[in-house]
Amino acid sequence: MASKHKTSSRTGNWRKWRGVLGFGLTGVATLISLGALFSILGYLIHQGIGAINWNFIVREPAAVGEAGGGIAPSLLGTLILVSISMVVGIPLGIGVGIYLSEIAGGTRFASVARIAINTFIGVPSIIMGIFVYFILVKPTNTFSAIAGGLALGIIMIPIIARTTEDVLRLVPKSIREAGLAIGAPKWRVTFDLVLPAARAGVITGGILAVARVAGETAPLILTALGNEYYPTSLFKPIDEITLRILKYARGPYDVWHQQAYGAALILVFGVALGSLLLRLSTRDHDALSR
Amino acid sequence: MEVRDTDILMSDQSAVSLDQAYKLRVNGLNFYYGSFQALHDISVNAEKNRITAFIGPSGCGKSTFLRTLNRMHEETPEARVEGEVLLDGESVFDREISELRRSVGMVFQRSTPFPKSIFENIAYGLRIRGVDSSLISGLVEQSLKRANLWEEVKDKLKKSASGLSGGQQQRLCIARALAVNPEVLLLDEPCSALDPIGTSKIEELLLEIKESCTIVIVTHNMQQAARVSDYTGFFLSGKLIEFNNTKSIFETPSSKLTEDYITGRFG
C-alpha cells in the first residue's frame, strides 16, 4: 500500500490524463463516424421526403421526364430478387457453416475452405455478376430475375457460411457431449441441439447478408437488367430498387433526381425495419428458450 | 503393484461367472492423447447395483477413464485406447455407439440442460429412441420423480430449463439420463459446482437409483466417495494405485500413496 502512495501525484496525474486522452479519442472517432452517417441520412430525408407519397409506392414509373409515377415495379422486383437470393444463399450458406464447424473441424480442407470464404466475402460483387452473366444470361440469351437472384444468392453464401460457423463454434462443447451421451446420433445433436442454441446468431448473420444484397447494384446490371413494368415472369428482366436509383440519379430530370432520393430513403428504412422486426421476433423466442 | 487387490476381489468371486457379478470389467486399459499416455494398464471391475467411486487429484486420469466407459473419448481427436472394456461380458467397442450410450448414461461436471423446455429436456432422449409419443409424458413424469425433481418443476414443465438452479439443473440432467433406462450411469464430478444442499440431494438420489442401475462416479471430494460409494479406486498420474471396498480404502489403505492422499498430505 505504501508504495502506492509513493507514486507521486505527478505520475498519477499523467496516468489519469492518458486514460482521459485514450477514451477521448475513441469518443471523437465515434462522433465523427456517427456524424457522417447521420448527415447522409439527414441529406437523404431532406432531398427525398418530398418524393414519397402513396402513388410513389403503388404506381409504375410515369413517362420519361414527367412528374408523378412511382417505383412499385422496383419494390416488387427487389422483393422477388431478395427472395430468390435467400432460397439460394441461406441453405447453402448455413450448410457450409455447419460442415466447417461440426464435421470438417480442423482438417486441411477446412482451413483452405475458410480462406476461400474470407476471400469471397471481400470480392467485389460485380465478379458474381459477371460469373452469372456468363453461365446463365449468355447461354439463355436473356437477363432474368432468376439470374439476378442467383448472383445475389452467391454473394450471400460466404457471409452466411462465415457467421454460421462462428456462432456454432461458440456453442459449448458440453451441449454436444450431453446430446451424444444420451445416445443421440451426431447429426441429430447438430440439428436438434447445437443449431437451436446458436439460432439467434445464425439469424443475425442471415439478416446481415440479406441487408447486404438488398443494396447491391453492380451484379444486377449484368443479370436482372431492370424493367419499367411490373414483373411478369422470373425468366424475364426485372427491376430492382438500386437499379432504379441508378437510372434516375444519372438522368437529366429534376423530378427523377428527387425520386432517386426518395427510393434511396425507402431502401434505407426498409432494410432498417426488416432487421428490426427480425431481431424482435428472435428475441421473443430466445427469451422463451433461455 | 497394489492393483493386485482387484485380483483378490475377483478370486473371492471365482465360483460365480465374472460377467454375472460385474456389470463392467476393464482389463489392461492404456489411454493415449497423441503421444502422451494418460492411463497406464488399468484393470478394474464395477459390481452390479453398486456405486463405484474413483478419487484422485486433478489431472490423474480419472475423468479420462470414465469417458472410455461410454466411448465419449472418441469425441476427442488424437485419443487412442488399448485394452478391454466389457459391459456384461461384451466389448463396448463392438457395440453400436448410440445404442451403447443409451445403455451407459453420463452426467457431466457442469450441468448441461439443452436449450429447450424442462419437459423437452427429458423427452428428447425418448424421442431419439423412437418411444411412442403417447407414452412420453408419463415417462417424463416418472423420470423427474426418480430424480426427486418432480415436485419442484411440475408446474413449470413448459418453462426453459436454464431458469432452474444449479442443483436442479444437475438433477434434471440425471433425470434425462435415467429416462432412457440406462443399465449404467457414469457421473463426472456431478457436485463440484453445487452447494452442500444441492450436493446432499444428489447423493441421496444416487443411493436410491443404485437399486436399478450400476453407478460409477468420479469425484475429487473424498468425503463424497466415503459417503456414497461401495467401492473406491484411487488414481494418481494415470495409474490405478488402489482399488477396494470403500471402508478399507478409507480406514486401512494398503498403499502409502493412498494414505497420504486421503489424509490430505497432497492433492
Side-chain angles (χ1 to χ4, degrees), chain A residues 260-273:
Chain A
Y261 281 116
L265 197 57
I266 286 178
L267 176 62
V268 170
F269 278 101
V271 168
L273 192 72

PDB file of all heavy atoms in Angstrom, chain A residues 260-273:
ATOM      1  N   ALA A 260     -35.067   9.554 -57.083  1.00  0.00           N
ATOM      2  CA  ALA A 260     -33.926   8.708 -56.730  1.00  0.00           C
ATOM      3  C   ALA A 260     -33.667   8.797 -55.224  1.00  0.00           C
ATOM      4  O   ALA A 260     -33.470   7.782 -54.542  1.00  0.00           O
ATOM      5  CB  ALA A 260     -32.686   9.129 -57.506  1.00  0.00           C
ATOM      6  N   TYR A 261     -33.701  10.037 -54.699  1.00  0.00           N
ATOM      7  CA  TYR A 261     -33.513  10.184 -53.251  1.00  0.00           C
ATOM      8  C   TYR A 261     -34.645   9.505 -52.486  1.00  0.00           C
ATOM      9  O   TYR A 261     -34.416   8.854 -51.462  1.00  0.00           O
ATOM     10  CB  TYR A 261     -33.461  11.673 -52.872  1.00  0.00           C
ATOM     11  CG  TYR A 261     -32.122  12.313 -53.157  1.00  0.00           C
ATOM     12  CD1 TYR A 261     -31.990  13.341 -54.087  1.00  0.00           C
ATOM     13  CD2 TYR A 261     -30.986  11.875 -52.470  1.00  0.00           C
ATOM     14  CE1 TYR A 261     -30.773  13.924 -54.339  1.00  0.00           C
ATOM     15  CE2 TYR A 261     -29.756  12.459 -52.723  1.00  0.00           C
ATOM     16  CZ  TYR A 261     -29.645  13.483 -53.659  1.00  0.00           C
ATOM     17  OH  TYR A 261     -28.441  14.045 -53.900  1.00  0.00           O
ATOM     18  N   GLY A 262     -35.842   9.655 -52.985  1.00  0.00           N
ATOM     19  CA  GLY A 262     -36.999   9.024 -52.333  1.00  0.00           C
ATOM     20  C   GLY A 262     -36.835   7.510 -52.272  1.00  0.00           C
ATOM     21  O   GLY A 262     -37.059   6.874 -51.238  1.00  0.00           O
ATOM     22  N   ALA A 263     -36.397   6.940 -53.413  1.00  0.00           N
ATOM     23  CA  ALA A 263     -36.212   5.489 -53.462  1.00  0.00           C
ATOM     24  C   ALA A 263     -35.111   5.054 -52.498  1.00  0.00           C
ATOM     25  O   ALA A 263     -35.240   4.040 -51.801  1.00  0.00           O
ATOM     26  CB  ALA A 263     -35.870   5.057 -54.891  1.00  0.00           C
ATOM     27  N   ALA A 264     -34.039   5.850 -52.443  1.00  0.00           N
ATOM     28  CA  ALA A 264     -32.940   5.520 -51.535  1.00  0.00           C
ATOM     29  C   ALA A 264     -33.420   5.536 -50.092  1.00  0.00           C
ATOM     30  O   ALA A 264     -33.067   4.669 -49.282  1.00  0.00           O
ATOM     31  CB  ALA A 264     -31.790   6.504 -51.722  1.00  0.00           C
ATOM     32  N   LEU A 265     -34.249   6.520 -49.785  1.00  0.00           N
ATOM     33  CA  LEU A 265     -34.793   6.633 -48.433  1.00  0.00           C
ATOM     34  C   LEU A 265     -35.618   5.399 -48.082  1.00  0.00           C
ATOM     35  O   LEU A 265     -35.497   4.826 -46.991  1.00  0.00           O
ATOM     36  CB  LEU A 265     -35.656   7.904 -48.365  1.00  0.00           C
ATOM     37  CG  LEU A 265     -35.992   8.452 -46.994  1.00  0.00           C
ATOM     38  CD1 LEU A 265     -34.722   8.737 -46.210  1.00  0.00           C
ATOM     39  CD2 LEU A 265     -36.826   9.723 -47.145  1.00  0.00           C
ATOM     40  N   ILE A 266     -36.452   4.976 -49.039  1.00  0.00           N
ATOM     41  CA  ILE A 266     -37.274   3.784 -48.803  1.00  0.00           C
ATOM     42  C   ILE A 266     -36.377   2.559 -48.587  1.00  0.00           C
ATOM     43  O   ILE A 266     -36.617   1.733 -47.700  1.00  0.00           O
ATOM     44  CB  ILE A 266     -38.240   3.562 -49.988  1.00  0.00           C
ATOM     45  CG1 ILE A 266     -39.356   4.613 -49.911  1.00  0.00           C
ATOM     46  CG2 ILE A 266     -38.818   2.148 -49.953  1.00  0.00           C
ATOM     47  CD1 ILE A 266     -40.342   4.538 -51.039  1.00  0.00           C
ATOM     48  N   LEU A 267     -35.301   2.454 -49.374  1.00  0.00           N
ATOM     49  CA  LEU A 267     -34.392   1.321 -49.232  1.00  0.00           C
ATOM     50  C   LEU A 267     -33.781   1.290 -47.827  1.00  0.00           C
ATOM     51  O   LEU A 267     -33.773   0.261 -47.148  1.00  0.00           O
ATOM     52  CB  LEU A 267     -33.280   1.405 -50.291  1.00  0.00           C
ATOM     53  CG  LEU A 267     -32.182   0.335 -50.222  1.00  0.00           C
ATOM     54  CD1 LEU A 267     -32.765  -1.049 -50.435  1.00  0.00           C
ATOM     55  CD2 LEU A 267     -31.098   0.606 -51.266  1.00  0.00           C
ATOM     56  N   VAL A 268     -33.274   2.452 -47.390  1.00  0.00           N
ATOM     57  CA  VAL A 268     -32.641   2.516 -46.067  1.00  0.00           C
ATOM     58  C   VAL A 268     -33.626   2.118 -44.972  1.00  0.00           C
ATOM     59  O   VAL A 268     -33.332   1.284 -44.116  1.00  0.00           O
ATOM     60  CB  VAL A 268     -32.075   3.926 -45.799  1.00  0.00           C
ATOM     61  CG1 VAL A 268     -31.647   4.059 -44.342  1.00  0.00           C
ATOM     62  CG2 VAL A 268     -30.905   4.201 -46.723  1.00  0.00           C
ATOM     63  N   PHE A 269     -34.828   2.714 -45.027  1.00  0.00           N
ATOM     64  CA  PHE A 269     -35.785   2.397 -43.972  1.00  0.00           C
ATOM     65  C   PHE A 269     -36.303   0.969 -44.085  1.00  0.00           C
ATOM     66  O   PHE A 269     -36.589   0.318 -43.082  1.00  0.00           O
ATOM     67  CB  PHE A 269     -36.933   3.420 -43.960  1.00  0.00           C
ATOM     68  CG  PHE A 269     -36.545   4.667 -43.228  1.00  0.00           C
ATOM     69  CD1 PHE A 269     -36.157   5.814 -43.911  1.00  0.00           C
ATOM     70  CD2 PHE A 269     -36.521   4.674 -41.832  1.00  0.00           C
ATOM     71  CE1 PHE A 269     -35.763   6.956 -43.231  1.00  0.00           C
ATOM     72  CE2 PHE A 269     -36.127   5.812 -41.143  1.00  0.00           C
ATOM     73  CZ  PHE A 269     -35.750   6.963 -41.836  1.00  0.00           C
ATOM     74  N   GLY A 270     -36.414   0.487 -45.306  1.00  0.00           N
ATOM     75  CA  GLY A 270     -36.843  -0.902 -45.497  1.00  0.00           C
ATOM     76  C   GLY A 270     -35.878  -1.862 -44.836  1.00  0.00           C
ATOM     77  O   GLY A 270     -36.281  -2.761 -44.080  1.00  0.00           O
ATOM     78  N   VAL A 271     -34.588  -1.667 -45.098  1.00  0.00           N
ATOM     79  CA  VAL A 271     -33.579  -2.553 -44.520  1.00  0.00           C
ATOM     80  C   VAL A 271     -33.580  -2.438 -42.993  1.00  0.00           C
ATOM     81  O   VAL A 271     -33.538  -3.439 -42.266  1.00  0.00           O
ATOM     82  CB  VAL A 271     -32.172  -2.223 -45.095  1.00  0.00           C
ATOM     83  CG1 VAL A 271     -31.088  -2.935 -44.302  1.00  0.00           C
ATOM     84  CG2 VAL A 271     -32.102  -2.627 -46.558  1.00  0.00           C
ATOM     85  N   ALA A 272     -33.684  -1.196 -42.502  1.00  0.00           N
ATOM     86  CA  ALA A 272     -33.686  -0.989 -41.048  1.00  0.00           C
ATOM     87  C   ALA A 272     -34.891  -1.664 -40.404  1.00  0.00           C
ATOM     88  O   ALA A 272     -34.765  -2.371 -39.408  1.00  0.00           O
ATOM     89  CB  ALA A 272     -33.687   0.506 -40.738  1.00  0.00           C
ATOM     90  N   LEU A 273     -36.053  -1.458 -41.030  1.00  0.00           N
ATOM     91  CA  LEU A 273     -37.280  -2.033 -40.476  1.00  0.00           C
ATOM     92  C   LEU A 273     -37.217  -3.552 -40.501  1.00  0.00           C
ATOM     93  O   LEU A 273     -37.555  -4.226 -39.522  1.00  0.00           O
ATOM     94  CB  LEU A 273     -38.484  -1.539 -41.302  1.00  0.00           C
ATOM     95  CG  LEU A 273     -39.848  -1.814 -40.704  1.00  0.00           C
ATOM     96  CD1 LEU A 273     -40.079  -0.903 -39.504  1.00  0.00           C
ATOM     97  CD2 LEU A 273     -40.949  -1.622 -41.744  1.00  0.00           C
TER      98      LEU A 273
END
